[in-house]
Amino acid sequence: MTPSRFIRSKHLVRGILVALVLLFGLRVGFPFLLQTDAVGKAIEETLEAWTGADVHIGAPPEFSFWPYPRVTLENVRITSPEVNGKSEALASIEAVSATFDLVGAVRGAPVFSDLELVRPTVLVGWSPAGVFNWKHSGWLTQAIDATASAPDGQAIPALPSERLGAITITDGILKVASAGEPKAYRISDINGTVTWPSLRQPMDLSLSGIVNGEMTHWTFGCDQPLALLAGRNANTRTSLSADPATVNFEGMANLSHNAFVAGTMQLSTPSLTQLLAWQGKEISAIGEVGQVNVEAKVTTAGYSAKLENVKLGLDNAEASGVLDINLPPDGVPQIGGTLAFDHIDLKALLTAFSPLPDSKETATPFDTAFLHQFGMDIRLSAKTADFAPFSLQGLAAGMRIENGRASFDVGDSTLLDGRMTGRIALNEQGLRGGAKLQMSLSNVDIGAIVSTLALPGPLPSGHGSADFELSTDQALWTTTVSDMSGQFRLRMGPGTLTHFNRQAFEEMAAKNAFFNFSEAADGSFDFVRADVEARLDRGIAELTKAEIEGNEKLLTLSGMIPYRSASLALAGTLADRPQADATVVNPAVSFFVGGSWPEPVISPVSILTGQQPRQ
């Protein structure tokens, strides 16, 4: 009979029916050949052999044979081997099931794989001596020890069993605690699969669970898992994702006593505050920081990590650089490094660490606990830095937090065609006081500052240099401009005093009558130099020197400016500029300035003394 005729004949149908009957017979008959107690005992012994721990079964095994032979053990407890009559609970599992081969089971040597753990509760911890509670002499431990002691590249000896398969976890709980800790760290609702066909093959896991109240998904893959567990280098890839953050890593890892990772890392969070709160931390200083994205090449050593080729996204700012992170077990976290921004909102950055002084007499309380929560030494640079309403170019700055003190230093920047440097500092007495502000402007367009701030009244316009040295004995966040004390200096070359008509001022003063300054404000006064010095003390500025020298006249002022109330109390003179070849010197105009800025009242001294002005 030819093959084609056989295929078309009734012999094919009969052959198929015979095969199905044999298969059905095997399926039906094998269970009767099994010694179920022996299979249940075998899986118990297999679990003990893998873990090196004692396994206790609370109920007789249950079997199913479709679609695959499977044994289920209920009420399983795993404990450490007894020492001096005592043992420690390691895990409790509502049900453990596994597939097994029928032929091996009939022969009395079943091989199990593809375990399913239903509602397991696993306890992980360390003794006071640092011994891992799951460190027992089982097949897995033997394989790890053999790998650790084998020379590089040499295969480990064969074990009684190397097949693992897949481990499926349903509704599990993980508790982690070390000796002396009052409360265990708990992860609940764990579901997923660990796929590890055999000890010498790659391992992949995909798990989800509730971590600190957030549903979290974790994937992990390793090409040489046994080498990794044995404290050797292994290629790994992992991803952790939850609403507060997503973290990805791919590279080399080592779990020895000198554990480290080296590879590429990405971290993304919609809110840094939310991420810290998820980890049980609260740092009010960075409460205003929103979305953060980090990509870097990371290398760890001990408790420190070095991040190279950093690409940082911070809200709407982007930076690149290098960061060093140190997380000592008995100290505060330390962050250092260098970041280069294209653009940064400098005012928002500073306000995050401490609200800056303003004109308000009340301030919202601000928590300065961050001064003791972490350390920082970051060098910043930016092509453009906004400090509303101004913009700086070529910023080079440093931010430092150490031993209860914080400072922000601007080493160099370009502002309005000139140079600006400065410093803001507060110390560990921030709750009671202790803050300093320093600023130095060199060859800056003073008129542009006046115009940008829309300041009223007669003010100088031109390029000049200014220095501020201010301090407060209050916390910076409670300080207003009326609480600062210090010094102010202004030096200018050629410029213009706006809203000051010198001829009109002299004519009004000659009338020997009070007049509003606004009556002489329609004009300007060109000068060749301007020097102003003042001392500030809690809302009062003492004008110790103010000279504005024009081509013909010299304007001088001195007195008090209670700027808390925007009032003035100044004495001034407007006299001929001293000249060696002058043959005629006009009498000086002396006057008193009182009232409120920007429309004070001018009182010629002649009125106050009852003398007529000299013509």
Side-chain angles (χ1 to χ4, degrees), residues 514-517 560 562 566-572 591-604 608:
F514 298 102
F515 64 93
N516 290 325
F517 183 83
M560 309 297 289
S567 57
L568 298 171
L570 300 174
F591 56 90
F592 179 80
V593 184
S596 299
W597 188 267
E599 294 188 2
V601 174
I602 306 300
S603 304
L608 302 177

Side-chain angles (χ1 to χ4, degrees), residues 143-192:
I144 293 173
D145 292 342
T147 303
S149 59
D152 289 338
Q154 180 175 321
I156 64 171
L159 296 173
S161 176
E162 294 189 12
R163 175 175 171 76
L164 290 172
I167 301 175
T168 301
I169 301 172
T170 303
D171 199 16
I173 295 174
L174 175 66
K175 296 181 179 180
V176 183
S178 295
E181 292 186 358
K183 187 177 180 181
Y185 184 77
R186 188 174 188 270
I187 301 176
S188 63
D189 296 357
I190 301 174
N191 294 276

Side-chain angles (χ1 to χ4, degrees), residues 357 406-408 422-427 433-439 468-476 479 484-485:
S407 63
F408 183 83
R423 188 170 198 264
I424 299 175
L426 61 155
N427 60 32
K436 293 181 179 180
L437 286 89
Q438 297 173 322
M439 182 180 295
F468 299 85
E469 293 182 6
L470 306 176
S471 63
T472 175
D473 57 0
Q474 300 186 40
L476 189 59
T479 299
M484 307 298 293
S485 299

Side-chain angles (χ1 to χ4, degrees), residues 440-487:
S440 178
L441 306 177
S442 177
N443 197 32
V444 172
D445 188 345
I446 303 298
I449 295 178
V450 172
S451 176
T452 301
L453 296 177
L455 299 176
L459 293 168
S461 176
H463 283 73
S465 299
D467 295 285
F468 299 85
E469 293 182 6
L470 306 176
S471 63
T472 175
D473 57 0
Q474 300 186 40
L476 189 59
W477 52 268
T478 64
T479 299
T480 69
V481 293
S482 299
D483 298 317
M484 307 298 293
S485 299
Q487 296 180 343

Side-chain angles (χ1 to χ4, degrees), residues 395-441:
L395 173 71
M399 180 175 290
R400 188 177 182 88
I401 300 173
E402 183 180 23
N403 298 327
R405 292 181 172 87
S407 63
F408 183 83
D409 294 270
V410 177
D412 194 14
S413 66
T414 299
L415 171 66
L416 299 174
D417 302 327
R419 182 172 181 263
M420 189 199 84
T421 61
R423 188 170 198 264
I424 299 175
L426 61 155
N427 60 32
E428 58 189 348
Q429 296 179 341
L431 293 175
R432 301 183 300 275
K436 293 181 179 180
L437 286 89
Q438 297 173 322
M439 182 180 295
S440 178
L441 306 177

Side-chain angles (χ1 to χ4, degrees), residues 15 28 41 57 96 152 219 271 347 428 430 433 439 455 470 514 538 544 546-547:
V28 173
K41 185 63 175 178
I57 309 300
V96 176
D152 289 338
T219 62
S271 169
K347 190 171 185 179
E428 58 189 348
M439 182 180 295
L455 299 176
L470 306 176
F514 298 102
R538 299 177 178 274
T544 58
E547 295 181 352

